[in-house]
Structure formats: structure tokens, C-alpha cells
Amino acid sequence: MVKVSVNDKTVEVPSGTSVMDAIFHAGYDVPLFCAEKHLSPVGACRMCLVKTGSPRKGPDGQFILENGQPKIFWMPKLSAACITAVSDGMVIDTLSDEVKHAQSGMVELTLFNHPLDCPTCDKGGACELQDRSYEYGLVEKFYQPDPMELPLYTRFEMTRRHVDKHHTLSPFIVLDRERCIHCKRCVRYFEEIPGDEVLDFIERGVHTFINSEEAGLPSNFTGNIVDICPVGALLDQTARFRARNWEYDSTETTSMDDACGAAITVDTRSGLLERIRAAERREVNEVWISDAARFGHEWVNENRVRSPLLRKDGKLVEATWEEALLAIGKGLAGVDKADIGLYLGGNSTLEEGLAAVELANALGTNHRDFQGRTAYPVSVFSPASFDDLLDAGFVLVLGDPAEEAPTVHLRLSEFSRGLKPADRLNHGTPFADLNIKERMPRLTEKLALFSAYPSNTAKWAGACAVHAPGAEAVLLSALLDQMEAPAGMREQLAWVKGRLSAGQKIVLVLGAGVLNQPEAAMKAKQLAERTGARVMCMTQAANARGLEALGLFPAKGGAGWTETGPKAVYYGYLPTEAQLRAASFRILHLTHRHPLAERYADVVLPNQTAYEKRGHTVNLEGRVLPLEPSGIHNGEADGAVAALGLIAEAAGVKTPFRLVRQATRWLVEKHKLPSVMERWLPKTAGWAASESDVTKGQLYLRPTMWRSEQLVGAVAKVVQVKLEMSLETAKANGLADGYLVELETPRGVEKLEVKVVPGLPDGVMYLPALGAWAGRRLAARVLVGGEA
């Protein structure tokens, strides 16, 4: 720790802290544009100029005194606070006329070429340039304008720069080059965080502009540049011109798009979900989220189920909850309570999972599960935290973090640069962490990755390979010395074995391909026990750890979420057509109408989306995270706690609670649920997994961060759903690139275009899973195939 004086305050900060963060830590302010949390400080904008000085020692080793106090030797020029490190005894001045004049001058220069279109700019009201202009702009003390002259803008009598104002970088992002102030945040973000160098400065001086490669923005994490842009140069096309910033109702909650538990801010207006932004949760996602979490929301507002629907004369008609109660009671009459099935969505809250478990126990049914449950229980692994990941000496990944758990991909980017979490200061996360440098070398010797499909994370790995789906067990057996390494991967596996035996901290990251193959999962558990590794399981269900911990999985003889069995069934999501056909009475709890529901459902209850729920979830670290409801108009929709309470009443059984707050109290009292942000790691035996839990076939549903319901609007333009295969596989099936085929999938029969991808294993066809079926091989049949 070092002592520094900021104006009239003396504070202690860790050695290596930037002057900027020392100023914030002391409670003072300094303007900034280019500095941003978790990015390298570069001093590009020069807004944070301050006066710095330090005492000096004379030849006798004593401080040189002035008026009995150590004399301060000031630097001859002002320093950029973001790229200057503090030293012991440093004195920092942010209030002198010299500093104020320099800062106001930089505001004036920044505004010199900036367009005067604040009334039409989406950033209006949340613009850092507007704020800095008001706080640090030109003041009368330094500039006395003519009474007839407009202040600030008329000092330079020349035409402002005029360039492309609505340049589309992708269907998600639009660039207004006139507004760009060249802070370089977006350029540094792509290089340092997702590791995709797709933006850079072109030309020089006043002609400088930002541009991308011809391919646009090939990344799963493009939207974060909208959040960090200090002005309205980079905007979210899915939310553009929807509202002024002060008109939004903002709610901070947790993203249920994957199992990482990233913090998000949901912006609504007039009952419609208009925008998703990242929120800071430094222990989990820092300040970044994936494009699926940010842009995959346009489906929420349309075609909602806003009231219960009952089947009358072969059609679903609107009804009341009271009428739904009577209809459910009539449908369950004569059905053995043990033949009732309860199945929740994978993004259900802990409160909803507890309600399902308690109702299943009251009914005496073994048919209970949640969508996306893996074939092997993840709760038997000792979970790694993100801090464990950054502190590890070596990380072995079996899967594709960029698609299965996007936050893991971003934290592996941090890990590959050898970074550790910055010390928390009085103002929170440092704005200018001097440990982060531009173009830091990637420590590839610390990471290995093997996946069934090319992964973007592999670019940071010292050893990587693409293997055939289902080969995970063979690969792990080779690492356990139980068999010889397969040809083509011997060198890579030997490299990995050398690092696993080096006596350092190990983290295993397991994807759906391992977790849905029990033999592979059991071998991964053996490897973790042998090496003392902690395990991070990238589950498709957002709350898999929490729902498993509560016991929401089939008891002996019960049907799982992929199977048929119960006569009367409640689904908190849309199941397959085969499952609907097999049941005699079907209660669907849905957010949106769907043709399968119109055809098979006896009762449809209006459900809440994850943005509308109150409760708790548990992420892949085992960390308890909060869910808060945003102001979305959903009619009479309610969550699974209320729906299951209705079923309990209709079936004539009692459950201990009917409200979410009652379920939360029950979780705390009976299950010892800790406070938010703490980790909850209850012991659970899980279930006996076997190879029969997984089907095998030629079609592999590869993981993807997107879900089928999200493929509307801008997302539909970005996400390509094609049947991918190698050239040899295409020839063997009489297909070629561009052919159209009809294929049986869990979502029904789909018409797909064939895409030949070099480097894929032969004998397997790949299809984006778009949901909970990821990592499974299915015996799907090509029904019709021909040229497009």
C-alpha cells in the first residue's frame, strides 16, 4: 500500500494503482472518455489531465523541506491520470485553475467536430460527452464570449466534419462516424475481451474513422461496444429510436439465457421490453454479456398468452383462472396421482423447483424433471468458481465455451492473459487497471481445448483438436492411461498429460458432449479426483445446479424430460409432439402460443418469461443470484409456483406454500439457502445414469447460445440454421452444398439447407441445437433431399 494526497485528502491505495483510481478512491472526480473498466488504459482522450508531484530526498537522504514541510516538486506538464501510476507520497491536484483550464480545453476540442444532433440521438440523456460538457466545459473564467455570440461552439469558424452517419456494422450494431470521438474503447474491447480483432482506426488526424473487416463483426459478443461507447456513435439497432433514456423503466436482474448468471438491466416502456443492457457483477460477468443475452429479446412482446386457454369443441378459447381450475380438476379425475407428471423449464427459479418437488411428493409421483437436465448429474462435481478459473495453473476444456457458456469464454480470455481480479476500491472496480496492457501475449501453455465442433475459444489453447461427437470418453480414457490415445491426437494429449501431472491447480470445464454421455462424465469425475481439479459444468439449463440440489429429477421408474410415461402431464415449456401425443391430459404453461399447443393442449396457462420472474437461481459456480421482475405487460400470466398450486388444489392435495415469497422463506429455513452472491453447495446423490439415457445416431445437435424462440427480427438475419457436414458425409448421403432437405428433429420436421464445412469429422451431420437438446446424437432421418 502507498499513501497519496489528493487535494486535501490523504488515502492509501495498492501499489500500482492509477492516479485516476486514486482520485476516485479519495472521493474526487476527474473526467474521462477513453478509460473503461477491464480494458487497458491508453490515455487517448487526454480528458483526465491532472497536476502531479512528489517530494524528493536530498544527498543526505532526507526530504528537501520548504517552510518546514517536504517540498513538492511538480511535474513540468500535466499528466494523464489513467496511465500514470501512483508513488508513495505523491500529491495530486485536480482543482487548480491550470487543471480546469486544460480539461475544459479538451472538452472544447472534442466538441469541435461533434454534430449537434443530441435531440435525435439515442444516447441523449445517457451520454458521457453531454455530462462532461456540462461539468467540465468552457467556463467564463477562461473565455469571455461576445454577448451576441453563442458560447462554446463558435470559437472555431469552420465547417464540422461530415461523414457516414448510419453505417451498419451488423444487423445488431449501427455506427455514426460523425459522433465518434476516437476514444478507442471499442477497438480495445474486441482485441482484449472476446479476442476478435475486427475494428480499428482508418486514416489519420481529422480524417480518422472506425471501420470493420468486410465480414462485419464475426463475434458472439458484439453488443458490449454499445454499452461502453461514451457517445452515440455505436447504437443497438434492435432498440434504436424506441424511447429516450429517461423514459425507460429499468430493472437489474439475472440473465437466464445460459448457466453463467450474468447481470443484466432490462429496459421497458409502456409494458414492452425494448432493450437489454449489461449490468456489473464483477464476481461473474464483470460488465460483459453475450449477444444472445442482449439481442435475443424481440420474441418477448409478440403473440403472448395473456390468460388461460381451455379446449372447447376442439379449439382453445380464453378463460379465467377459476375456469382453468375446474377444467384441470375434471381432467385429473380418475387419473392415479402417481401417473401425473411435472416438468419445469430449465430456466425455472429455485422457488418454482421447490414447488414442483413438494407437489410431486404430495402426489406420490416419480414423474418429475426439468428441461435440459443432463444425462449425468452435475451436482456430484465440486464446482469451480470464476476466481478458481483465473487462479488455475492449467485449464482443460471439453466443449465450446463461446457457445455453451459465453461468460466462461470471456473469463478464459482474462485467464489467457494472466490477469487476476483487480482490488476493489471505494468506487468499486478500477477504471484504469494498469495491469492490463494493449496486445498482451496469450499464455497458451495454460489452456487446452477439445470439442466436437470448431470452437472460437481454441485460439488461446496450446493444444486443441476437433473430434467426432461421442469420442469424449475415449479422450478421457487416454488421459487416465486406461487406453492408448487415438491417432491424430497423441501429441496433443501427451502435452495435456504433462501439465495435468505438474502439481498445479487444475480446472476442468465440461460441456454438454461430456455431461450427456455418462461414460465420459464418469471418467471426467475420475480425472478430477486424480488431479484434485475443480469442475465447471456448462449446462444447457440455466438453473441446473439449483434444480438438481432440490431433487427435481425422476425418482425410480419415473420418466425423464425426454421420455413419455405419465398419463396426465404438466409442462412448463413446449415439449415434443411425441410426448404430447402420448399423454391423455395435457397442461401446458407457456409464454407464447404455438401450433403444437393449439393441436394437443387441454389447458394452456399463461406463463412468465425469465424477465418477469421474482426469485433466485444458482449458476454454474453454485452462486445464488437474484431475479427481479421487470414491467412487461403479460396480462394474467403467473409463474410455476402459482400454476403448481392450482394443480395441487385441483388434485385435492396440500402443498406448504402458494406464493413465491413463501417458497423463498421455505428455501432459507428448510434448505439453508444463503444470501445472494454466496455459494450454495448442498450434498446430493443425484441419479443413477446409464448409456440408455442418451440416444445415438448420425445427427449431432451442437451447442449454440441461441434458442429457437429468439430467431426473430435481427437475430434471424445473423443466426444461420443449416445442416452442416463434411464433404465426405455429404457425398455418402447423396447431398451437396446448398441442397435442401427435410429432417426429423426434436422440434419436428424441418426444411434445412446443407452446408459443407471443411474440417468436420466424417459420418456426422451437425445442426444447431437452439435449446435444451444440445450435445446429443439422434437417429434422425433425411426425408427429402434435392437441389435448392
Side-chain angles (χ1 to χ4, degrees), residues 236 264-266 273-278 289 293-294 297 611:
D236 175 355
I264 58 174
T265 298
V266 180
L273 197 168
E274 301 289 11
R275 183 173 66 177
I276 302 291
R277 294 176 291 131
I289 59 176
R294 181 183 301 274
H297 62 80
Y611 307 111

Side-chain angles (χ1 to χ4, degrees), residues 286-418:
E286 296 179 331
V287 292
W288 318 118
I289 59 176
S290 69
D291 282 355
R294 181 183 301 274
F295 300 119
H297 62 80
E298 291 189 86
W299 62 279
V300 170
N301 296 327
E302 303 297 329
N303 201 29
R304 289 295 298 267
V305 178
R306 302 186 190 278
S307 63
L309 304 174
L310 306 181
R311 186 165 296 281
K312 294 181 180 179
D313 299 325
K315 294 183 178 181
L316 290 177
V317 297
E318 291 189 359
T320 65
W321 279 86
E322 290 75 14
E323 291 173 322
L325 172 64
L326 296 175
I328 293 172
K330 185 177 179 180
L332 296 180
V335 177
D336 191 313
K337 291 181 174 59
D339 284 333
I340 300 175
L342 304 174
Y343 300 92
L344 295 186
N347 63 356
S348 299
T349 65
L350 289 176
E351 287 79 359
E352 292 174 328
L354 182 61
V357 170
E358 293 297 328
L359 177 55
N361 292 338
L363 293 171
T365 179
N366 294 332
H367 303 299
R368 50 185 174 186
D369 208 351
F370 62 90
Q371 184 190 32
R373 178 182 58 85
T374 52
Y376 193 82
V378 300
S379 50
V380 303
F381 292 103
S382 176
S385 67
F386 286 117
D387 284 342
D388 292 331
L389 193 71
L390 295 181
D391 197 42
F394 183 70
V395 175
L396 171 61
V397 181
L398 300 175
D400 183 7
E403 296 286 353
E404 298 187 69
T407 298
V408 176
H409 173 81
L410 299 182
R411 301 309 293 266
L412 284 173
S413 173
E414 197 175 0
F415 166 77
S416 71
R417 289 177 287 154

Side-chain angles (χ1 to χ4, degrees), residues 170 172-173 186 189-190 193-196 198-199 217-228 258 260 262 285 287-295 400-411 413 456-457 459-460 705-706 718:
S170 77
F172 296 141
I173 307 292
C186 56
Y189 163 77
F190 274 113
I193 307 303
D196 302 309
V198 294
L199 284 182
L217 301 178
S219 171
N220 286 341
F221 309 93
T222 63
N224 291 309
I225 60 176
V226 174
D227 283 346
I228 64 175
D258 56 65
C260 296
N285 63 303
V287 292
W288 318 118
I289 59 176
S290 69
D291 282 355
R294 181 183 301 274
F295 300 119
D400 183 7
E403 296 286 353
E404 298 187 69
T407 298
V408 176
H409 173 81
L410 299 182
R411 301 309 293 266
S413 173
N456 195 26
T457 314
K459 61 192 172 188
W460 303 320
M705 65 164 61
W706 303 98
V718 173

Side-chain angles (χ1 to χ4, degrees), residues 389 394-402 404 408 412 447-451 455 457 463 465 467 475 507-511 514 538:
L389 193 71
F394 183 70
V395 175
L396 171 61
V397 181
L398 300 175
D400 183 7
E404 298 187 69
V408 176
L412 284 173
L447 178 67
L449 185 144
F450 300 92
S451 60
S455 171
T457 314
H467 56 76
L475 187 150
V507 171
L508 300 183
V509 180
L510 306 180
V514 174
M538 301 185 293

Side-chain angles (χ1 to χ4, degrees), residues 381-663:
F381 292 103
S382 176
S385 67
F386 286 117
D387 284 342
D388 292 331
L389 193 71
L390 295 181
D391 197 42
F394 183 70
V395 175
L396 171 61
V397 181
L398 300 175
D400 183 7
E403 296 286 353
E404 298 187 69
T407 298
V408 176
H409 173 81
L410 299 182
R411 301 309 293 266
L412 284 173
S413 173
E414 197 175 0
F415 166 77
S416 71
R417 289 177 287 154
L419 297 174
K420 298 294 176 65
D423 293 311
R424 187 190 293 270
L425 301 174
N426 286 345
H427 60 284
T429 305
F431 278 84
D433 185 353
L434 296 176
N435 292 312
I436 308 176
K437 311 292 183 184
E438 282 195 283
R439 299 191 173 276
M440 294 181 71
R442 301 281 179 172
L443 308 177
T444 56
E445 70 276 4
K446 298 175 63 176
L447 178 67
L449 185 144
F450 300 92
S451 60
Y453 190 85
S455 171
N456 195 26
T457 314
K459 61 192 172 188
W460 303 320
C464 62
V466 176
H467 56 76
E472 291 88 352
V474 174
L475 187 150
L476 286 161
S477 295
L479 292 176
L480 288 165
D481 295 319
Q482 296 174 352
M483 63 180 297
E484 288 189 10
M489 288 198 291
R490 289 172 184 168
E491 184 177 340
Q492 295 97 320
L493 292 177
W495 185 87
V496 172
K497 286 170 67 174
R499 279 149 182 78
L500 291 176
S501 59
Q504 53 191 344
K505 293 181 180 178
I506 307 293
V507 171
L508 300 183
V509 180
L510 306 180
V514 174
L515 300 173
N516 280 326
Q517 186 187 158
E519 180 187 359
M522 287 186 278
K523 292 187 181 298
K525 189 171 187 297
Q526 294 175 27
L527 184 63
E529 292 171 347
R530 176 181 294 186
T531 60
R534 291 186 176 273
V535 181
M536 187 167 276
C537 295
M538 301 185 293
T539 58
Q540 289 296 301
N543 195 14
R545 275 200 169 271
L547 298 177
E548 278 188 26
L550 295 172
L552 187 60
F553 47 81
K556 186 176 181 181
W561 70 276
T562 63
E563 303 169 317
T564 60
K567 293 181 179 179
V569 63
Y570 162 87
Y571 285 109
Y573 56 93
L574 190 72
T576 65
E577 186 171 4
Q579 290 172 311
L580 289 171
R581 281 200 306 263
S584 59
F585 185 71
R586 313 157 194 90
I587 307 167
L588 299 188
H589 196 190
L590 304 178
T591 59
H592 290 68
R593 301 188 76 134
H594 192 276
L596 283 181
E598 304 288 342
R599 194 180 312 160
Y600 292 103
D602 296 290
V603 177
V604 176
L605 300 177
N607 202 354
Q608 299 171 329
T609 66
Y611 307 111
E612 301 154 34
K613 292 182 179 182
R614 185 186 302 279
H616 297 83
T617 184
V618 174
N619 75 345
L620 47 67
E621 303 174 278
R623 194 185 300 274
V624 178
L625 301 171
L627 287 164
E628 295 294 336
S630 56
I632 298 174
H633 174 52
N634 57 19
E636 300 176 21
D638 212 335
V641 174
L644 294 171
L646 191 76
I647 294 173
E649 184 176 347
V653 299
K654 290 186 177 181
T655 53
F657 46 80
R658 296 287 297 273
L659 301 174
V660 171
R661 65 173 180 270
Q662 294 173 326

